[in-house]
Amino acid sequence: RHPLSMIVNFIGPPCAGKSYVASRYTLEHPSWGYVSIDACRVEQADENKAWGLLERKLRATDLAILESSGLSWRLPGILARQDREILTLCLLAQREVLHERLEKRQFKRKIPYRLRMDEAQAIDWVLQNLDECEYPVAQFIRTDEISKEELYSLVSENKPERRLEISNNEKTENV
């Protein structure tokens, strides 16, 4: 594995801004790969195969932005099998704001099979269950209190590349 290896794990309900930040960040930082459970669902058309593909894509990408609700029973095991730093950022907003964003959403990805709940139900379920997350969350970010630009700046200020450079330099200095 590459010495600079990391996963930034964006979790939260639908319409919280995860896809926006993940796609913009990976466009502006081509060394980072973007792995989304929804994209894997579309590609595989089967839930179990989708999660298998997600794990394979993570293993194949040294620097990865991962996006999901964060609450699948599969995710803790997948993250535990990764041999690298994982930074989890939870994006959320008030229920009403998320539902309003869902109503206005222009691009709705069609999953090729029916999930247990639709996106409106998923908003409520994720908000009710985020405290059940089985791995550490580094930061909770309220996307209803800041603009998209402020959100992007805030997430970018976590500067994953800079953290990795510092970590790598510390390892080198300690040798």
Side-chain angles (χ1 to χ4, degrees), residues 5-150:
S5 185
M6 179 179 197
I7 296 171
V8 177
N9 181 29
F10 287 123
I11 66 169
C15 302
K18 303 179 306 290
S19 297
Y20 166 75
V21 174
S23 59
R24 180 172 170 190
Y25 193 86
T26 54
L27 281 173
E28 293 180 9
H29 301 84
S31 60
W32 285 78
Y34 179 15
V35 182
S36 160
I37 186 54
D38 284 345
C40 292
R41 286 174 172 141
V42 168
E43 192 173 327
Q44 292 297 305
D46 175 272
E47 190 70 6
N48 290 325
K49 289 179 182 176
W51 283 97
L53 177 61
L54 180 133
E55 186 165 6
R56 288 190 304 279
K57 285 184 174 194
L58 282 178
R59 275 197 222 112
T61 309
D62 287 323
L63 297 171
I65 302 285
L66 172 60
E67 181 211 344
S68 73
S69 72
L71 294 178
S72 170
W73 61 268
R74 295 169 176 93
L75 192 57
I78 290 170
L79 293 176
R81 291 187 289 274
Q82 301 300 311
D83 183 27
R84 58 184 138 169
E85 181 180 356
I86 299 169
L87 172 69
T88 298
L89 302 175
C90 180
L91 279 56
L92 39 88
Q94 289 181 351
R95 178 188 181 280
E96 297 75 23
V97 171
L98 295 168
H99 282 281
E100 183 178 309
R101 288 177 184 169
L102 181 61
E103 294 272 325
K104 294 178 181 175
R105 185 183 262 180
Q106 293 176 359
F107 173 74
K108 293 182 182 178
R109 176 175 274 154
K110 272 302 241 183
I111 304 298
Y113 53 92
R114 184 157 161 58
L115 295 172
R116 279 188 319 162
M117 58 187 85
D118 64 23
E119 285 186 300
Q121 294 168 317
I123 287 171
D124 297 337
W125 186 83
V126 172
L127 288 175
Q128 291 169 1
N129 291 287
L130 269 173
D131 58 344
E132 302 294 322
C133 194
E134 295 181 31
Y135 45 87
V137 176
Q139 187 174 6
F140 290 85
I141 302 170
R142 291 287 305 269
T143 66
D144 54 348
E145 296 176 352
I146 56 178
S147 70
K148 278 185 160 183
E149 258 332 290
E150 290 169 318

